[in-house]
Amino acid sequence: MARNDNRRDRRDREETPEFADRLVAINRVSKTVKGGKRFGFAALVVVGDQKGRVGFGKGKAREVPEAIRKATEQAKRQMIRVPLREGRTLHHNMNGRHGAGKVVMRTAPAGTGIIAGGPMRAVFEMLGIADVVAKSIGSQNPYNMIRATMDGLTKQYSPRTVAARRGKKVADILPKAANAPAPAEAEPAEA
């Protein structure tokens, strides 16, 4: 009997890769009923594997742990894959929008870190981005900020994807400066 349980546990671990999750917001919500008010909790969670996959979910329940569990399950079902440059930053600058929430995301050189506000920072950390500069313009509602960030991330394309769509080689669509080797420095003339 114990042997079957071990096999099942091993199979479960192999099927579900390890995800990190971050609780972004928790709200106490109430429903007015005949006898008064019933209180519950709404949770907003971001889940990612820190290797280019991220998702968010929301859950409501009478107790906080149950709301977080529901949100985490929904986030795992709604994950998207985002191509990253060198595994640390975005391929190109982009904007995202959802309702009144607008976000601007820009690539950054190595060592910059994550420069972004609360809910956006959680998305970038769970995605595995190390260097990015982002700004939220408009709505400060965490739900709208995360949805706008996810909207922008779905518009992220790698050079390989763009080249395949256009029927060209990757070298043809990248800027010439990136392809050309650095010119050798000329030796200074002696005076």
Side-chain angles (χ1 to χ4, degrees), residues 21-188:
D21 59 347
R22 174 76 45 88
L23 178 65
V24 175
I26 193 140
N27 265 342
R28 191 179 84 162
V29 294
S30 67
K31 177 182 180 183
T32 305
V33 292
K34 185 174 159 187
K37 291 184 178 179
R38 285 201 181 141
F39 293 102
F41 294 92
L44 177 62
V45 174
V46 176
V47 172
D49 65 356
Q50 298 177 334
K51 294 175 188 159
R53 289 176 63 199
V54 69
F56 80 98
K58 55 186 184 178
K60 286 198 289 191
R62 297 290 298 273
E63 302 295 328
V64 174
E66 182 66 13
I68 292 171
R69 185 191 63 76
K70 285 181 180 180
T72 305
E73 283 181 9
Q74 184 184 16
K76 286 179 182 175
R77 286 194 304 265
Q78 297 181 351
M79 293 187 86
I80 61 168
R81 181 168 293 284
V82 180
L84 302 178
R85 180 170 55 174
E86 301 165 8
R88 63 165 189 81
T89 189
L90 303 171
H91 281 286
H92 54 84
N93 301 344
M94 76 197 99
N95 300 331
R97 181 183 185 125
H98 184 271
K102 296 178 207 136
V103 296
V104 178
M105 295 171 270
R106 299 175 60 191
T107 62
T112 303
I114 299 175
I115 300 175
M120 292 173 70
R121 174 179 289 275
V123 172
F124 294 138
E125 286 175 354
M126 295 301 105
L127 186 58
I129 291 180
D131 304 302
V132 68
V133 177
K135 176 76 179 154
S136 169
I137 305 164
S139 175
Q140 296 301 305
N141 180 330
Y143 289 85
N144 286 347
M145 283 176 70
I146 286 184
R147 284 192 178 112
T149 305
M150 297 296 272
D151 174 59
L153 291 173
T154 56
K155 299 174 190 172
Q156 182 73 217
Y157 297 110
S158 68
R160 183 178 293 147
T161 309
V162 175
R165 195 172 353 144
R166 294 184 190 174
K168 295 185 172 188
K169 295 178 183 169
V170 176
D172 294 340
I173 63 168
L174 287 177
K176 300 297 182 219
N179 293 339
E185 292 182 20
E187 293 186 24

